[in-house]
Amino acid sequence: MRTLPDTADVLPETCVDVLVVGGGPAGSTIAALLAERGENVVLLEKDRHPRFHIGESLLPFNLPLFEKLGVKEEIARIGMPKYGAEFVSLYNRGTAGFEFANAWDKGFPYAYQVRRSEFDHILLKNAAAKGATVIEECRVTDVVFPPEGGAVASASDATGQLRRWRAKFLVDASGRDTLLANHFQIKQRNPKHASAAIFGHFAGARRLSGKAQGNISLFWFDHGWCWFIPLADGTTSVGAVCRPAYLKSRKTDLAAFFMATIALCPPLAERLKHAQLVSPVTGTGNYSYRSTRMMGKSYIMVGDAYSFIDPMFSTGVYVAMSSAFLGADVVSASLHEPKKAARAFKAFDSRIRRALDAYSWYIYRMNTPALRTMLLTTTNPFRLEEALLSLMAGDVFRPSPVHAQLAVFRLVYLLLGLRTLKASFRAWRARKGAARLGDLPPAAEPVAPEAATST
Ligand SMILES: Cc1cc2nc3c(=O)[nH]c(=O)nc-3n(C[C@H](O)[C@H](O)[C@H](O)COP(=O)(O)OP(=O)(O)OC[C@H]3O[C@@H](n4cnc5c(N)ncnc54)[C@H](O)[C@@H]3O)c2cc1C
């Protein structure tokens, strides 16, 4: 562990109860909750909101969190209602539509698609309204944990001035910048999964009709999968999640490469036939990682600061905000009820890990023939579709019969995997090899169309 740099004596220090690093959904949520409980909270954000961020599709279980934060109406004003999802596969030549209203618990029938610039700004302003001191354009550059406890963070503000905060507790909500995971060198690339993405926004894309117009569409294709997320202002977010090596093979500029990638997925290309690209195209490198721990005596990591797996189920914002809710209890216990702190830390750790593991199981198998077939099959034996929809809605943090049904789902997957053994084995072997090399396998063997039922 580092000691305070020599400038410690000359820099003025501000003392606070809680210092939150990062003003994304995780940081703004925990800052709002703790400020509301009367803590002296400072949130430092390196950018100035509103600012662009990827991650526009939310889950139904986000809505109770908005209500608790008091931002439900504001989010409804900027959001495009999303009642479900559509999966489209080139391999099974099938399309399957899902509605959240058919999940195990019917009380969470919709979510929203949002522009993250607007969404994150609402949450940040809410943190300030609840009493947190929000300082934008202030980047935390260093953290030390002195032996007497707490944390001391150095940051560079909008004028380039170096400032210092001494906090009883530090919350790392720095997203994929992973401030503390880098500091402790505990960030690990996901050994089972490697993905990169390329994305942009279109005007004039053809949406689904009626109530489904706000639904997310996911398309499997040779290099991975693509998303189609309709936003309330008429634009549509489109992205391709591919093997890092595929993105590295680019020989043209990013926009031309993006359009060529879309052309490789004909059902998506058809939806964009009359659309215009209206934003710069962005690419991200391999983003799947986990840190070996998410907490210490006077700090926790929430949201992407601890882990990010994959955007497949649109879980990022929901998990980030949920970890902030769980994390707020850890901070409160740590500050005021030290006897309860150990239990709170343990509950926080196990609930986050369990939720991430639940999603990871599906994400790692998404390109396998057996899982694709199950997703595209419209019958609902043993209420498996309801259980899967509950997972997709975000019902992972509370005790529920859904967990037992998901275990049955995994068993059926294994049995189906035996039926498509050759293709499944090739997919598994390729994925394992590719993950070792930092790449994902080529798309798994097509399943015979008759193995899946189209809707
Ligand atoms: C390609 C792709 C597509 C995605 N699609 C979806 C989706 O559809 N739905 C979904 O829910 N999720 C999606 N995600 C994931 C989602 O973007 C994240 O999970 C979510 O934003 C995590 O929130 P957070 O608050 O933890 O981090 P962020 O939202 O990243 O917020 C972190 C904040 O910390 C600030 N910061 C960083 N370092 C410092 C520092 N040193 N000092 C001060 N401030 C700092 C940053 O500026 C930022 O504002 C996607 C991710 C990727 C890569």
Side-chain angles (χ1 to χ4, degrees), residues 56 78 113-120 201 231 233 235:
E56 297 139 322
I78 61 150
Q113 322 276 22
V114 293
R115 269 210 186 265
R116 282 289 301 276
S117 49
E118 297 172 332
F119 175 79
D120 288 17
H201 289 86
L231 299 173
D233 62 7
T235 55

Side-chain angles (χ1 to χ4, degrees), residues 315-349:
T315 50
V317 170
Y318 171 63
V319 171
M321 292 182 69
S322 301
S323 68
F325 269 82
L326 296 168
D329 292 340
V330 173
V331 180
S332 294
S334 182
L335 292 179
H336 305 294
E337 297 176 287
K339 280 193 187 136
K340 291 190 181 162
R343 218 158 133 206
F345 272 114
K346 206 169 156 206
F348 170 70
D349 186 88

Side-chain angles (χ1 to χ4, degrees), residues 153-172:
S154 306
S156 162
D157 72 12
T159 64
Q161 181 90 28
L162 202 58
R163 300 174 64 179
R164 178 161 290 145
W165 279 268
R166 182 175 289 271
K168 291 179 192 157
F169 204 97
L170 186 128
V171 176
D172 180 9

Side-chain angles (χ1 to χ4, degrees), residues 90-173:
L90 287 183
Y91 306 101
N92 309 59
R93 287 179 216 122
T95 297
F98 296 101
E99 285 194 13
F100 295 122
N102 296 328
W104 199 280
D105 184 336
K106 318 285 182 221
F108 301 86
Y110 67 96
Y112 294 110
Q113 322 276 22
V114 293
R115 269 210 186 265
R116 282 289 301 276
S117 49
E118 297 172 332
F119 175 79
D120 288 17
H121 201 193
I122 290 173
L123 294 183
L124 189 78
K125 284 188 286 185
N126 185 55
K130 295 276 157 60
T133 302
V134 172
I135 305 176
E136 295 179 81
E137 294 182 79
C138 190
R139 177 195 289 268
V140 173
T141 50
D142 194 33
V143 182
V144 292
F145 294 93
E148 68 272 20
V152 181
S154 306
S156 162
D157 72 12
T159 64
Q161 181 90 28
L162 202 58
R163 300 174 64 179
R164 178 161 290 145
W165 279 268
R166 182 175 289 271
K168 291 179 192 157
F169 204 97
L170 186 128
V171 176
D172 180 9

Side-chain angles (χ1 to χ4, degrees), residues 59-70 72 107-108 110 318 325:
L59 301 186
F61 273 70
N62 267 118
L63 270 71
L65 306 185
F66 300 155
E67 192 155 10
K68 284 181 190 153
L69 286 171
K72 194 174 154 204
F108 301 86
Y110 67 96
Y318 171 63
F325 269 82

Side-chain angles (χ1 to χ4, degrees), residues 23-39:
S28 294
T29 298
I30 197 165
L33 293 171
L34 290 169
E36 206 169 25
R37 291 177 195 176
E39 311 297 354

